Amino acid sequence: MTDWQELERRCKSCTRCGLCENRHNVVFGVGDPNADIMFVGEGPGEQEDLQGKPFVGRAGQLLDDMLSIIDLDRKKNCYIANIVKCRPPQNRDPLEVEQDACIGYLHDQIALVQPKILVCLGRIAAMRLIRDDYRITREHGQWIEKDGIWMSAIYHPSALLRDVTKRPETFEDLLSIREKLKEICN
Ligand code: URA
């Protein structure tokens, strides 16, 4: 199995899809490599591309606030990554071919972190990691165990910036994540 250094080196020099052509940085991932819980978004936006780190724009600030509600902190006890590591132009959804080209890096990250819980941030990550016909409006907050990992999805923080009426449901989902952590990680 690959190690972190080798994986990061391969990922950062990747030219497997067209997204490499306009990137400023590959956005590999951040956090505790031994975390019990991992969060996965869809792909870098403008700020992430410029800074080389996931979730550092407005949505990222909101994500950090959401994590702090349940005592999580990207610097201490969770790991954050994306389905695709390079920014799709105009923040469009990553194409299936782009996801296919990139997903191996995420699978390797998951194999190295070995999280007990994985939370998808938004529809794109949930459709890729949970089920390809996943319906975020209907199924967010529900848990399934897949390949030994407890998985769930919550609304993407960008969706919560656009539509504040989704926030109370997300608060409930966050509490459920905290319960799951207590239940299986103590
Ligand atoms: N949105 C994502 O899905 N990922 C990021 O890293 C930033 C915004």
Side-chain angles (χ1 to χ4, degrees):
M1 190 173 79
T2 188
D3 64 27
W4 278 111
Q5 268 185 346
E6 164 64 10
L7 177 60
E8 191 160 352
R9 189 195 58 71
R10 271 196 294 119
C11 186
K12 289 194 167 168
S13 57
C14 183
T15 54
R16 290 173 60 103
C17 83
L19 295 182
C20 69
E21 282 160 28
N22 296 308
R23 74 181 174 218
H24 292 95
N25 286 291
V26 172
V27 177
F28 180 66
V30 288
D32 173 7
N34 299 308
D36 284 331
I37 183 163
M38 205 166 154
F39 290 84
V40 178
E42 61 183 70
E46 185 183 18
Q47 282 308 311
E48 290 77 20
D49 172 61
L50 291 173
Q51 297 183 41
K53 294 189 187 119
F55 287 98
V56 288
R58 276 182 73 222
Q61 179 59 57
L62 179 57
L63 177 62
D64 284 341
D65 293 345
M66 290 158 60
L67 296 178
S68 77
I69 292 173
I70 52 170
D71 309 311
L72 294 175
D73 179 337
R74 65 167 77 197
K75 293 199 189 76
K76 289 190 195 140
N77 53 7
C78 60
Y79 191 86
I80 302 174
N82 282 306
I83 298 285
V84 298
K85 313 301 195 208
C86 297
R87 183 189 182 201
Q90 279 86 47
N91 299 340
R92 64 156 168 72
D93 292 348
L95 305 175
E96 202 158 314
V97 285
E98 295 160 350
Q99 296 186 31
D100 290 347
C102 209
I103 198 72
Y105 299 121
L106 179 66
H107 285 310
D108 285 348
Q109 287 172 303
I110 295 171
L112 287 167
V113 176
Q114 294 189 272
K116 297 191 174 81
I117 297 174
L118 189 152
V119 178
C120 300
L121 299 169
R123 176 181 69 88
I124 299 283
M127 287 171 66
R128 188 74 208 202
L129 297 178
I130 299 180
R131 243 190 27 254
D132 60 11
D133 60 350
Y134 191 89
R135 301 292 301 269
I136 190 92
T137 37
R138 253 188 246 157
E139 299 180 66
H140 67 88
Q142 295 179 15
W143 291 98
I144 64 144
E145 195 180 8
K146 201 177 166 192
D147 305 325
I149 301 177
W150 281 100
M151 306 206 24
S152 186
I154 62 175
Y155 284 118
H156 193 286
S158 300
L160 301 172
L161 288 172
R162 282 193 302 271
D163 180 0
V164 293
T165 67
K166 292 188 162 76
R167 290 190 185 196
E169 297 165 77
T170 303
F171 182 70
E172 294 301 320
D173 294 346
L174 290 171
L175 298 184
S176 157
I177 293 169
R178 184 163 66 189
E179 280 310 301
K180 199 63 161 178
L181 272 166
K182 270 197 213 144
E183 185 187 316
I184 64 169
C185 299
N186 279 328

